């Protein structure tokens, strides 16, 4: 069973920064595509950023230049550095993973496994 545990969400003012982190097993970390998606109330889940097992990354256009996805090999964690936060970034952020046999790694919103999420709230 794939377990994903997020941390690092919170409430910040516009322009602020947060760092989200996702813990998982060593097997998932090294063999699955991993990424972050988000869902705001009344909106569909959307992919935010993804990284495949080879280290290639993908970002939604709305976050390019502000969000950075990375992996910490020492801790087996997937991190998301979020800078220059905007009110429209307010959402529940989910860490997700998928073996990516049939799903392109950029489609995080379709990944088979997700954590419980961590809330990010940005005030203007």
């Amino acid at each position: 069973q794939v377990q994903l545990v997020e941390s690092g969400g919170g409430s910040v003012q516009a322009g602020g920064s947060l760092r989200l982190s996702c813990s998982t097993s060593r097997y998932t970390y090294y063999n699955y595509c991993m990424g972050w998606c988000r869902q705001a109330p009344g909106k569909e889940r959307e992919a935010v950023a993804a990284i495949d097992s080879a280290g290639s990354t993908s970002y939604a256009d709305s976050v390019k230049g502000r969000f950075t996805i990375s992996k910490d090999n020492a801790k087996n964690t997937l991190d998301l550095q979020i800078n220059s936060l905007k009110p429209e970034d307010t959402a529940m952020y989910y860490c997700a993973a998928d073996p990516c046999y049939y799903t392109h790694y950029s489609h995080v919103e379709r990944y088979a496994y997700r954590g419980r999420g961590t809330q990010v709230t940005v005030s203007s």
Side-chain angles (χ1 to χ4, degrees), residues 1 11 16 26 30 57 61 67 72 80-81 99 103 118-120:
Q1 185 176 357
S11 298
R26 185 178 180 85
Y30 282 104
T57 58
D61 288 342
F67 290 19
D72 186 329
L80 186 69
Q81 179 66 39
T103 300
T118 186
Q119 178 68 36
V120 172

Side-chain angles (χ1 to χ4, degrees), residues 22-34:
C22 173
S23 297
T24 189
S25 71
R26 185 178 180 85
Y27 182 84
T28 300
Y29 182 85
Y30 282 104
N31 292 283
Y32 281 38
C33 299
M34 295 189 71

Side-chain angles (χ1 to χ4, degrees), residues 47-86:
V48 173
I51 186 166
D52 70 7
S53 57
S56 297
T57 58
S58 173
Y59 294 93
D61 288 342
S62 59
V63 308
K64 283 180 180 177
R66 301 187 298 121
F67 290 19
T68 303
I69 191 169
S70 62
K71 295 176 105 174
D72 186 329
N73 293 339
K75 299 179 181 179
N76 289 353
T77 59
L78 177 74
D79 299 326
L80 186 69
Q81 179 66 39
I82 308 175
N83 298 327
S84 303
L85 276 159
K86 304 176 181 180

Side-chain angles (χ1 to χ4, degrees), residues 103-121:
T103 300
H104 189 272
Y105 83 98
S106 64
H107 292 299
V108 185
E109 75 281 7
R110 303 177 189 174
Y111 281 12
Y113 305 99
R114 285 189 299 278
R116 292 186 174 184
T118 186
Q119 178 68 36
V120 172
T121 303

